[in-house]
Structures are given as structure tokens and as C-alpha cells.
Amino acid sequence: MTDLNGLKRQRVAVLGSTGSIGVSTLEVMALHPQRFQVFALSASTQVEKMLAQCVQFKPVFAVMASELHGRILAEKCQSNGLETHVLSGPDALSEIASHEQVDIVMAAIVGAAGLASCLAAARAGKRLLLANKEALVVGGDYFLQAVTAGGAKLLPIDSEHSAVFQSLPDDASRWTDQIDKIILTASGGPFRRRDPATFADITPEQACAHPNWVMGRKISVDSATMMNKALEVIEARYLFGVQPRQIQVVIHPQSVIHSMVQYRDNSVIAQLGTPDMKVPIAYGLSWPDRFTSGASALDFSAMVDMTFESIDSHGHGDRFPGLKLAWQVLEAPSGSTAILNAANEIAVASFLERKIRFDQIHRVNMETLSSVVPSMPGSLEDLLALDALARHAAQQVVRRMGC
């Protein structure tokens, strides 16, 4: 399909379209209808929100996680006169991610549930906009092998990793020769100055109230514990091919500088922007060009200051003990990162369900890492088996310590 200027419109599959990243992706694409066609959308259970997206964007395919939700959506699409084909289940996700007519895949499904479709897109050689942390945290080298074998173009969508990518030389072969270290910034979340002795009293509502970013509940809790930064350290290790010791985290409460690269000559290149995910999304969609994102521009006259804090200052080490697990699991046997990710998903879900306290999330992660023996994954089945084993172990820990 081409626009009026004869340019080919890019067909996009948005996996996780009803989540915050998916919604922002569709908003950016709507600004550039001459460049993109929404080819496929997917969601878990939000039928009404998916229906509204189907009415607006008229995708060829829509995928729901379960057969029940797929059947409900199909009936609603039919009653609204839509020609969208409704599919359901994980196999359908992989089908649309690897569909021969798809050019770009936005991978925004939260959790290990998005791993199979990311692998399918990688093997099919798609431009893969990666907002799903688990592809790298769980998949690691196995996932990168699929990217290489399929000839896919992997573009990070996390604001921090997009910032690093934008601060690196265009020639990836020069990265390791020139980089001294990658510096990921962290806002510190809503509890940056809260007394750790009071963490047992933190409610899910408080943990989800991020001071700078609008995010889903799971990611918001990860930001409050700074486990999101631990997972980003793991991602950066695989994305940019650096050693764990070359990755540093600093707290930057204003969330203006999204990350930095320090080079061998000690010069530092940083990417700045408003805390709006439309910026990295637009960059991923437009790369190697740039176009309007819909995000607000920085107003430097209104910026009073930009501050930075060490993760070891102001008691942050006690506040965010989970952050240091990133370097520990990267130095541990292969598979350890997958165990940490699975344990944390169970711990966060349990906290949101009020089964454990906020201050017990780290304990669930630690005890799960101690109880599960990591193994070298050689297939998707191996990865999913290790993930299931770690989840079961974490659930047992939660049952033992339940409030």
C-alpha cells in the first residue's frame, strides 16, 4: 500500500495495544497516517478498549489472549460492521508477529507472555521495536541469536535504552572500542527519600503513583523498588555488548536526561527529553529519520536545576536492595536472569493483590534465586520451563510469608 506520493506505507503490528506503550504507539502513528498502516493489534482481556481501537484503526487482524475474549470481540466487531479478523491465543500472536505483510512489530506485551512473539518477529526479520524487557532478560543470548539469524533490526523502546542507542556511533562495530561505560539514569521513583523503616506500610496505590511517568501498575511497582533499573542493566548488557562492570546507574529525579554514554576520552553524550514515551516510540518508528512525536518540547527556561545522586548515597542502598541483583545474576550461571525476572513478576503481582508487603518483594526474589538451579536454555521450551519453575518456587515463598 502506498500514499499519494508513491511511498510504501509501513504495516505495523502492535502487540499489547491496550497498554500504555501500545496506546502511545497508536497515538504517534495517528500523526503520520501517510507512513503507517495498523495491520494487527493484540490485547489480553480489555475487549471494549480493543474494540474502540479496531473501530478507529481498522486493523486486518486483532488478537485476544483467550478464546473467550476473542469470541466476544469477534461478535462486537461484526455488530459494528468491521472486517477485522479476530484470532486468539499465543500461537496467533506469533502468527501476526511473523506475518509476511508486517514490516514493523511493536513488542509491548508485559512479562514472559511476550517472549514467543518476540522470537517469531526476530526470526522473520522484522523491524522489532522492543518494549518487552523479558525478550532479553529471559531470552538473553538465545534471543540475540534469533535476531541475527533472522536478520531482524532490533530497536530499543525503553526510554533509557533508546537514549543510549541515540548516543552511540552509527556503526555498531565501533561501540566496544570507543565506550568506557553506559550510564542509565533512574528517577528514584516515589520513595526516593522515604525512610526504609516505613516500607512495610506502603500500599499498592502509593507504589503506583510515579512522580514523573505514566505507566502500567507492574512497571510502576518495579520503578518504586528500582527493580526496573535492575532489569534495564541486564537488557543493556545484551543490547550493547558491554560488560556488566561498564554499566552504571545514577539517580536523576527530574527524568530529563534519559541516559548517557561515556567514551574512552571521558567525553559524555546524553539524550534529553520530556518524560514521555512517545519520543522513543517515534524514534523507533522513524529510524534512521526523525519525525513529530506529539510529545512536548523541553522548556529550558523553566528548568531550575538537574541533580544527580549515587545509588549508594542517601541510604539508597537500603532503599533499593534489588538493584544490585542485576550485576549478581549477570555474573551467575546462565539462566539466572530468567529466574530473577520470574520471581519478580510473582512478587509484584502478590504485592498488588496484597498477599505480601512492599518490603517483602526483595525477599521473594532472593529466596527464589537461592532455591532454583539455573540452566543453560537452548530453546523456547527450555526458557519457558525455567520460567515456570521459578514462578512455582516464588509462589511457594509467597505462601510461606503471606501477610
Side-chain angles (χ1 to χ4, degrees):
M1 181 177 292
T2 58
D3 65 11
L4 295 177
N5 297 316
L7 299 175
K8 181 179 181 295
R9 293 173 72 197
Q10 299 288 291
R11 297 184 179 95
V12 183
V14 183
L15 309 183
S17 64
T18 58
S20 60
I21 297 294
V23 169
S24 293
T25 301
L26 292 174
E27 289 175 355
V28 173
M29 290 172 62
L31 297 174
H32 306 276
Q34 76 285 0
R35 294 191 58 157
F36 302 106
Q37 175 196 358
V38 177
F39 185 81
L41 300 173
S42 86
S44 179
T45 61
Q46 297 191 64
V47 173
E48 292 300 330
K49 196 168 183 178
M50 172 63 90
L51 176 63
Q53 292 179 344
C54 289
V55 169
Q56 180 178 359
F57 295 100
K58 298 177 174 55
V60 178
F61 293 102
V63 179
M64 299 300 295
S66 74
E67 185 177 344
L68 172 62
H69 291 96
R71 187 164 59 250
I72 295 171
L73 178 64
E75 292 171 356
K76 290 180 178 291
C77 284
Q78 186 176 16
S79 65
N80 280 270
L82 299 175
E83 297 181 359
T84 298
H85 301 286
V86 178
L87 308 174
S88 61
D91 290 343
L93 278 176
S94 295
E95 180 182 337
I96 63 170
S98 59
H99 197 287
E100 62 180 6
Q101 294 188 49
V102 168
D103 302 298
I104 301 173
V105 175
M106 167 57 80
I109 297 174
V110 175
L115 180 57
S117 53
C118 283
L119 281 166
R123 289 169 177 151
K126 305 302 182 185
R127 174 185 290 203
L128 181 53
L129 311 187
L130 193 63
N132 172 283
K133 295 179 184 298
E134 288 68 29
L136 286 166
V137 175
V138 177
D141 288 325
Y142 179 75
F143 175 69
L144 291 180
Q145 289 166 9
V147 170
T148 300
K153 180 59 186 179
L154 187 62
L155 295 172
I157 298 302
D158 270 355
S159 61
E160 295 82 2
H161 299 108
S162 177
V164 171
F165 185 73
Q166 294 179 57
S167 301
L168 288 169
D170 291 337
D171 183 358
S173 66
R174 299 164 56 202
W175 291 357
T176 54
D177 291 337
Q178 297 191 23
I179 296 174
D180 180 45
K181 61 184 173 182
I182 286 171
I183 304 170
L184 303 177
T185 59
S187 69
F191 309 131
R192 180 173 62 91
R193 291 297 175 87
R194 180 161 174 158
D195 183 354
T198 69
F199 275 18
D201 301 324
I202 291 173
T203 66
E205 292 74 22
Q206 292 170 331
C208 290
H210 195 281
N212 299 338
W213 297 90
V214 177
M215 304 179 293
R217 283 164 62 81
K218 195 269 182 184
I219 299 175
S220 295
V221 175
D222 280 347
S223 180
T225 63
M226 277 188 67
M227 181 53 66
N228 71 319
K229 209 56 50 178
L231 298 177
E232 286 167 16
V233 168
I234 297 169
E235 283 185 276
R237 157 71 182 89
Y238 289 110
L239 274 170
F240 306 117
V242 295
Q243 296 302 311
R245 59 179 172 74
Q246 291 179 279
I247 306 170
Q248 179 183 347
V249 174
V250 297
I251 293 179
H252 170 51
Q254 294 80 20
S255 295
V256 173
I257 294 178
H258 298 304
S259 279
M260 299 170 273
V261 176
Q262 181 170 308
Y263 287 85
R264 293 288 172 84
D265 60 1
N266 285 332
S267 64
V268 177
I269 295 179
Q271 188 266 342
L272 287 70
T274 52
D276 190 329
M277 287 304 298
K278 293 189 185 74
V279 175
I281 289 168
Y283 185 70
L285 287 168
S286 64
W287 181 89
D289 302 320
R290 292 181 185 266
F291 57 36
T292 303
S293 68
S296 301
L298 281 176
D299 181 0
F300 286 94
S301 65
M303 291 167 55
V304 178
D305 56 21
M306 289 196 294
T307 60
F308 303 90
E309 302 167 10
S310 164
I311 60 172
D312 295 318
S313 65
H314 303 292
H316 292 323
D318 295 330
R319 230 177 245 104
F320 309 118
L323 177 58
K324 293 185 178 180
L325 289 177
W327 290 273
Q328 294 176 24
V329 295
L330 283 172
E331 298 292 350
S334 180
S336 298
T337 58
I339 295 170
L340 174 60
N341 178 77
N344 185 64
E345 284 195 22
I346 294 298
V348 171
S350 300
F351 166 67
L352 289 172
E353 295 167 4
R354 304 179 196 275
K355 295 179 180 178
I356 62 172
R357 302 189 309 267
F358 181 85
D359 63 326
Q360 293 176 314
I361 293 175
H362 178 61
R363 182 177 157 193
V364 172
N365 293 338
M366 288 289 291
E367 292 194 19
T368 305
L369 282 168
S370 298
S371 64
V372 179
V373 178
S375 58
M376 172 75 77
S379 67
L380 175 59
E381 290 71 26
D382 290 345
L383 290 171
L384 295 178
L386 182 59
D387 177 77
L389 181 65
R391 286 171 187 273
H392 177 70
Q395 287 165 345
Q396 290 183 315
V397 175
V398 168
R399 280 194 288 270
R400 288 199 299 268
M401 68 171 59
C403 298

